[in-house]
Amino acid sequence: MAPTSSAKSEDVRTTNIAAAEEVLSAIRTSLGPRGMDKMVITGKGDVLISNDGATIMKELEARHPAARLLIELSKAQDVEAGDGTTSVVVMCCSLLHECPNLLKMGLHPSVISRGYGKAAAKAEEILDSMSIDLDLDPSNVRKTLITAAKTSLSSKVVSQYSKWLAPIAVDAVSAICDPLNDDNVNLDDIRVVKLAGDTIDRTELIKGLCFPRKVSHVANGPTSISNAKIAFIQFCLSAPKTTMDSSVVVSDYQQMDRLIREERRYILTMCKKIKASGCNVVLIQKSILRDAVSEIALAFLAKMGIMVVRNIEREDASFVCRTVGCKPIASIEHFTADKLGHAFIAEEIELSGKRMVRVIRDDPALPQPEHSAKTITVLVRGVNKLILDEADRSLHDALCVIRSLVKKKKQLPGGGAAEIELAMRLDEYAQTLSGLESYVVKAYANAFELIPYTLAENAGLNPIATVTKLRSEHNKGVTMAGIHVKKGDILDMRAKKVIQPTLVTSSAVKLATETAQMILKISDIVAAR
């Protein structure tokens, strides 16, 4: 006998929820400051160590469609808020975990989905009501932002360096925008450059550019230029090539000498035009051509006192131009003075035995207007590639947390305080409803208890006793009470400066609910041709 459509739909929902629970078991142990790290081996065989939810989910090899939806959910949270990528997956899986009991009671998936949507709208109101307004006093705003950045960094592999990375993240954002008056931050204006060698506490801000490559040393060219006039070129500094793949056979020595003279004359003409424009630093975009820059051109430019930096990545072109104020030059005919950028100094420096190019945009001795920088560069240091990559990801999360506070100037207590308050107040809200929706909202409220439960479990505490004590504190009206995992007790999160942006939690609740509704309403999986 063929299975009925309702039985088939039930089987599909069961497998989807089972796939979500498998993802939950893989990522749940990474939640919180005491979360465990994951060693991920990529498809190329590279090893990656991290407890960042977005990073782990991105590298996860998932074949089930529902599991892929959770990966996309983590990516969406990373784009929207930049933090809470583990929490959003845990929330979504917890919401799905509550569904089988509701389905067994005879509730239709559409009813559950509608109830979840109603509960999510109420959760948004609750989060807004318990949020703390950002301290708008200019003298305190930096401290507040550093506290939020430290909370984000506390769960990372590099958490012991949070007192160095948090102020750097805040200063980087403050350089390109005004956190009090602006309503968004373009993180594309902050570039992170990684350099192996030394420890993370040697990370620094550079008000300009930084390239992890050497200056051209052909013919003893200059390695430091003050009052730099910078050109960013995208054409070849070499003899012209034919449009077709062809070879020229020269059998006469006179013709060979003439060919060499013509090549030198052609390149010299290009170099003279560069010099005539007033340019003294040339940045050359990386080309797919092997001989895009000839040794003769480098020798001529060196004799003219022009510093040359080769192989600038194509994706860095926009950032370079915004930083120094130059325009990309596509051909020698368009090489004019109005396309040049300016900088106080461009120089080659040596750090930990490795040479790199640093371009300082403004004179450090002169006072600069606050929040006036167009771009900023962060030079991240670390002992090896694994630490560098994790420091880069952690710094990105800290920058995103600050961006969230700039976008929505409200904060919530951490340590599971917001989630347990949501669970309790949604449970009270469910009792005011009548009909089937009350069961759905109650199940929705129960799902949020998994966050504080997991925080306690990952910290080595008794999760049941800890969550019970946390509920007791919130019943007394202490809404700021949360799990301080480092001290193993329930404490006032605001007093202990464990805070997070409201946008991170509200975004996680909204996205987790939408994904749970989507997975719940899937009745069949159809393989398309």
Side-chain angles (χ1 to χ4, degrees), residues 194-198 351-354 380-385 388:
K194 297 177 284 187
L195 182 68
D198 225 322
L351 293 173
S352 302
K354 296 181 181 179
V380 177
R381 311 297 302 279
V383 293
N384 56 41
K385 186 177 182 297
L388 276 174

Side-chain angles (χ1 to χ4, degrees), residues 232 234 285 312-322 328:
F232 184 82
Q234 298 174 315
Q285 182 174 292
I312 306 299
E313 297 292 342
R314 184 183 295 271
E315 55 266 23
D316 293 338
S318 175
F319 185 86
V320 169
C321 293
R322 291 201 310 274

Side-chain angles (χ1 to χ4, degrees), residues 57-101:
M57 293 294 289
K58 185 172 64 177
E59 299 295 340
L60 205 63
E61 186 180 353
R63 296 181 181 178
H64 196 282
R68 290 179 189 169
L69 283 174
L70 293 175
I71 292 172
E72 293 302 318
L73 166 65
S74 182
K75 288 180 182 176
Q77 175 70 6
D78 194 37
V79 170
E80 178 65 23
D83 198 16
T85 50
T86 307
S87 300
V88 72
V89 176
V90 173
M91 280 183 194
C92 182
C93 294
S94 185
L95 289 170
L96 290 171
H97 181 74
E98 297 291 330
C99 291
N101 292 331

Side-chain angles (χ1 to χ4, degrees), residues 24-31 35-41 47-52 56 157 390 393:
L24 176 63
S25 64
I27 200 168
R28 182 180 162 189
T29 53
S30 298
L31 183 69
M36 306 300 287
D37 301 332
K38 305 290 183 187
M39 179 179 283
V40 182
I41 301 174
V47 176
L48 184 150
I49 298 174
S50 178
N51 63 359
D52 178 56
I56 297 168
V157 174
E390 184 60 23
R393 288 189 290 269

Side-chain angles (χ1 to χ4, degrees), residues 366-489:
L366 298 176
Q368 300 296 328
E370 209 174 2
H371 321 300
S372 64
K374 293 179 182 176
T375 60
I376 199 86
T377 302
V378 183
L379 177 61
V380 177
R381 311 297 302 279
V383 293
N384 56 41
K385 186 177 182 297
L386 290 175
I387 295 295
L388 276 174
D389 290 344
E390 184 60 23
D392 182 12
R393 288 189 290 269
S394 301
L395 191 62
H396 173 264
D397 283 2
L399 291 169
C400 287
V401 163
I402 299 164
R403 181 187 65 180
S404 297
L405 283 172
V406 171
K407 289 169 74 173
K408 187 173 184 177
K409 296 175 174 58
K410 289 188 175 184
Q411 301 168 302
L412 284 170
E419 287 79 7
I420 202 72
E421 185 70 14
L422 275 178
M424 293 175 63
R425 288 173 64 175
L426 283 171
D427 191 50
E428 293 171 5
Y429 173 63
Q431 294 174 16
T432 64
L433 300 174
S434 60
L436 298 177
E437 280 187 342
S438 63
Y439 292 102
V440 179
V441 175
K442 187 174 179 61
Y444 187 91
N446 291 339
F448 284 98
E449 288 194 9
L450 186 61
I451 296 289
Y453 186 95
T454 305
L455 283 174
E457 193 175 46
N458 290 347
L461 306 173
N462 184 331
I464 296 174
T466 304
V467 173
T468 303
K469 187 177 178 182
L470 182 60
R471 287 183 71 98
S472 174
E473 291 295 318
H474 279 256
N475 271 326
K476 295 174 186 174
V478 189
T479 57
M480 296 295 152
I483 304 169
H484 198 292
V485 295
K486 293 183 180 178
K487 295 191 177 180
D489 201 0

